[in-house]
Amino acid sequence: MPRIATFPLVLAPAALLLASCAHKEPEVDFKPIQLNWHALSEAAEAHPEKDACVISVTSLLMREKAVRESKFESLDYDVVFDIKGENLEFKGICANSGAEVATECRFTAVCSGAEKVVVNFHNGD
């Protein structure tokens, strides 16, 4: 009998812990994006930071307010990249029909290592 009496006491804290953990993460607005990467040179394709830069640029784009709040259901970008000095430079433009003048439709990014990425959006400039 003592086990039956303590069993609910053991489950109650565990259930409370699981319930509190389930509500900690706020829901994130997510906009599906597709990025079609095109290296303009073999050196850019073989750059040792290319993969890390591609991941960082993708992550920054997905978090950008202009992208998250876009009127388009999803955004498809054609992205060209090449070496500029010691950095990789990316230029993206939407392939979405009717998106030419949308702020989120043109961007440039400079990557000087995965931790040092700057993304700028351009409204047709």
Side-chain angles (χ1 to χ4, degrees):
M1 286 289 191
R3 284 187 181 181
I4 296 172
T6 59
F7 185 71
L9 295 176
V10 172
L11 281 181
L16 181 61
L17 178 63
L18 289 174
S20 66
C21 289
H23 296 288
K24 288 196 178 203
E25 291 295 320
E27 218 172 291
V28 178
D29 291 335
F30 175 73
K31 178 71 64 177
I33 64 173
Q34 169 125 8
L35 299 153
N36 303 302
W37 306 95
H38 306 283
L40 296 178
S41 69
E42 287 184 29
E45 182 64 41
H47 193 282
E49 294 288 325
K50 181 198 81 161
D51 291 340
C53 288
V54 164
I55 291 168
S56 294
V57 169
T58 302
S59 176
L60 286 171
L61 286 174
M62 292 179 76
R63 289 183 286 171
E64 276 292 330
K65 184 177 180 179
V67 170
R68 289 191 336 263
E69 294 179 354
S70 175
K71 66 180 181 177
F72 298 98
E73 190 172 312
S74 66
L75 291 165
D76 299 322
Y77 292 98
D78 287 323
V79 184
V80 295
F81 63 98
D82 208 352
I83 296 176
K84 184 173 183 179
E86 294 181 17
N87 304 320
L88 283 174
E89 183 177 78
F90 299 84
K91 293 180 182 179
I93 187 164
C94 286
N96 299 63
S97 177
E100 296 81 21
V101 295
T103 302
E104 67 273 22
C105 209
R106 292 181 180 269
F107 74 88
T108 57
V110 175
C111 180
S112 57
E115 303 298 319
K116 299 176 185 171
V117 179
V118 177
V119 175
N120 293 305
F121 283 91
H122 311 279
N123 190 1
D125 300 336

